[in-house]
Amino acid sequence: MGREFLDIFENWAQSYDSSVYGHDEQYRDVFDGYETILNTVVEKSGNVVLEFGVGTGNLTKKLIEAKKTVYGIEPSTPMRELAKEKLGDVTIEDGDFLQFPLPNEPVDTIVSTYAFHHLTDKEKEEAIGKYSALLRKGGKIVFADTAFIDREAYEAMIAEAKQKGFVDLAEDLQREYYTTIPILERAFTTNGFTVTFTPMNRFVWLMEAVKQ
Ligand SMILES: C[S@@+](CC[C@H](N)C(=O)[O-])C[C@H]1O[C@@H](n2cnc3c(N)ncnc32)[C@H](O)[C@@H]1O
């Protein structure tokens, strides 16, 4: 579920890595500090990690290099293929944030970068509820994704993108389910997590939620 944006990745898959490394002017601020963001997620992860929205496998690669066991989930076929090319013999399963094959051992951390906004706010809450049931006390969710401090900041970013002539970015911001920090905070706390939010660039927040 929340798979309504997969067509975008059919077209974006081949040039995705070029976007994240700053070659797409419209997305430069979104991916500003991409390496640091991914490294921070790795540093905050435990040993057995479930990753959603693997994409081309950039975070997965870093998790594996840090000697973690990773169970990757990715719904887009071209993205999965690119990740497999990059990572070699790593299992990346077809699945999404809400429907996914369960790892065959307990996971201590659930991670995702640049992907949670593909779920509506209701679906985000449902997903966090599922992860709460999956994690033991002390288990973590570590996500990095675009979100806004409030609705005004969101609208201002759309206006700024339009004013700069960043048509693709403005459309993206209006099409997908970017949300606000208070909505995310409520979704985590009502599902038994304590959560902190740290801004990583003008778009992306690091969310670290610990199961109580
Ligand atoms: C912008 S890319 C991010 C890729 C990678 N995590 C990164 O940080 O570079 C978003 C990824 O989320 C995936 N995605 C889209 N909808 C999803 C869903 N409902 N559940 C899980 N992943 C989804 C897309 O196929 C795509 O690979």
Side-chain angles (χ1 to χ4, degrees):
M1 283 173 65
R3 287 176 169 235
E4 54 267 53
F5 303 115
L6 292 190
D7 280 358
I8 292 163
F9 294 98
E10 293 283 324
N11 300 320
W12 196 11
Q14 283 300 336
S15 63
Y16 180 75
D17 277 355
S18 153
S19 299
V20 303
Y21 291 111
H23 300 293
D24 181 340
E25 191 194 3
Q26 297 199 29
Y27 281 87
R28 201 165 287 152
D29 283 359
V30 176
F31 290 111
D32 182 35
Y34 180 72
E35 284 286 303
T36 306
I37 291 168
L38 268 49
N39 287 335
T40 308
V41 172
V42 174
E43 279 162 25
K44 293 186 176 293
S45 296
N47 293 320
V48 184
V49 181
L50 175 61
E51 181 189 356
F52 289 103
V54 162
T56 57
N58 295 329
L59 175 65
T60 328
K61 185 165 184 280
K62 287 177 182 290
L63 289 162
I64 290 165
E65 284 166 359
K67 308 273 183 262
K68 297 174 192 300
T69 303
V70 189
Y71 295 90
I73 307 288
E74 169 54 56
S76 153
T77 306
M79 285 302 221
R80 255 196 333 272
E81 279 164 6
L82 285 167
K84 284 181 180 168
E85 245 171 59
K86 188 178 287 175
L87 302 170
D89 195 19
V90 171
T91 309
I92 313 284
E93 304 261 23
D94 183 7
D96 57 58
F97 279 109
L98 288 166
Q99 290 179 336
F100 53 93
L102 279 178
N104 51 18
E105 62 180 308
V107 299
D108 52 46
T109 315
I110 298 175
V111 302
S112 180
T113 51
Y114 290 92
F116 202 41
H117 63 270
H118 293 107
L119 298 190
T120 63
D121 287 345
K122 191 163 173 285
E123 287 169 337
K124 288 185 188 86
E125 200 170 328
E126 188 189 333
I128 293 168
K130 280 190 185 223
Y131 309 154
S132 179
L134 206 67
L135 291 167
R136 297 171 175 168
K137 187 173 159 49
K140 276 188 188 179
I141 298 174
V142 186
F143 284 176
D145 197 17
T146 292
F148 297 94
I149 197 81
D150 56 25
R151 203 67 211 174
E152 269 177 18
Y154 186 5
E155 298 295 340
M157 199 60 96
I158 295 168
E160 182 183 318
K162 286 183 181 166
Q163 189 266 327
K164 286 177 169 166
F166 291 174
V167 178
D168 296 345
L169 178 62
E171 269 179 26
D172 177 342
L173 288 171
Q174 293 172 101
R175 178 183 57 232
E176 299 180 14
Y177 307 125
Y178 298 100
T179 194
T180 63
I181 300 301
I183 288 174
L184 286 164
E185 185 167 32
R186 195 167 51 245
F188 283 111
T189 53
T190 56
N191 282 295
F193 291 90
T194 56
V195 61
T196 57
F197 296 90
T198 310
M200 301 301 283
N201 64 28
R202 294 185 68 219
F203 289 81
V204 173
W205 290 75
L206 180 82
M207 310 159 207
E208 188 178 6
V210 181
K211 173 87 186 290
Q212 299 305 299

